[in-house]
Amino acid sequence: MAVVEVQIPGPLRTHTGQQSKVRAQGSTVGEVLQNLAQEYPSISSQLFESDGSVRRFINLFVNGEDVRGKGGLDTEVSEGDRVGILPAMAGGTGLTPEQVQRYHRHLIMPEVGSRGQRRLAASKVLIVGAGGLGSPAAMYLAAAGVGTIGIVDFDEVEISNLQRQILHGADDLGKRKVDSAAETLERINPTINVIKHDEPLTSANAREIIRGYDVVINGCDNFPTRYLVNDVCYWENKPLVDGSIMRFDGQLTVYAPGHGCYRDLFPTPPPPGMVPSCAEAGVLGVLPGIVGTLQALEAIKLILGIGEPLVGRMLMFDGLSMEFRELKLRKDPECPVCGEHPTITEPIDYVQFCGVPHETALVG
Ligand SMILES: [Zn+2]
């Protein structure tokens, strides 16, 4: 007889006093269910038909493996095993059977569950730039089931992109980046909706574009766009998951509405030429993979409302020493955008503000 942990899905928790995990005994999955039903009698009718067989819409898992591929109810369990119960079609999951299968590893986690999965499906995330940061962010969000992913970029795929921009492959050279990105995301998850914004993000269109999304991921590679996205996210009340990379180093933070902005840290851009771009200084290809993946994680946490978002904190990653450090960010009451007496209340000329020559500015 082993003691196992039974993971109770949301719809069944009314029968277990809202506990998401309970202990039960048994040497097989069938025995564990019987003992569970003895401990929590009202769950019995949810799990069993009147003849005592397990209802057909209930799927059972041991340590994440479907017991149908093992010994069914006779599958043996050992001390400390995790037994998952997944009501596949009924139980009010609001998900299709295909979704239940696709997102199974999410659904068995109480922090996500069917409610969280539906939230992901209903969410809209804008990714600024289908480049090094935007690639892994978009791919993981698509795989996770974020229902609408917008991509703003007006570049074409070039061969020098392929060292890090994994949305694009050798077959995509010369394609519009938004097209190449949409094809990759649809291959990963054809059930989501990809919106292509094949245009530069500018002072003229940024508010309208950003307004249509719940969360913005910044994967841009230049200062004018960085300030533009920051300001517009503040005015439109959208959380901004900001990331940047250079050579072996990365930075990551979340600007949540009411909790400061990029300008609190960097009120003015560095003089042109002072901070080299990745095109000038280089970047190890995997670096944006790390930072962009962390951006996807923060976006998912914001959508699900779980964990501690990276708000008021700047995470610094040094790939050479393999160290993560954290800095506390201060809100600046004098900030011209989010401060007490704002002086900038609508998009400005960001190219002029950053002193960048027109032809190199606003690269998505
Ligand atoms: Zn600010």
Side-chain angles (χ1 to χ4, degrees), residues 33-94:
L33 285 195
Q34 294 291 349
N35 287 327
L36 179 73
Q38 233 163 34
E39 184 79 11
Y40 304 98
S42 65
I43 207 171
S44 186
S45 65
Q46 301 292 316
L47 299 178
F48 301 108
E49 301 285 352
S50 50
D51 66 1
S53 61
V54 174
R55 285 183 180 273
R56 269 194 302 186
F57 59 78
I58 296 287
N59 285 315
L60 297 164
F61 299 82
V62 174
N63 298 330
E65 300 285 334
D66 195 326
V67 300
R68 282 177 302 183
K70 305 175 138 208
L73 290 176
D74 297 327
T75 304
E76 292 187 4
V77 292
S78 317
E79 192 72 19
D81 277 357
R82 287 170 290 116
V83 173
I85 301 175
L86 186 65
M89 305 188 57
T93 64

Side-chain angles (χ1 to χ4, degrees), residues 260-264 332 335 337-339:
C261 78
Y262 182 71
R263 288 176 184 264
D264 299 20
D332 179 8
C335 174
V337 169
C338 77

Side-chain angles (χ1 to χ4, degrees), residues 116-129:
Q117 197 62 52
R118 290 200 305 273
R119 271 195 188 189
L120 289 171
S123 68
K124 299 177 177 182
V125 177
L126 180 69
I127 296 176
V128 180

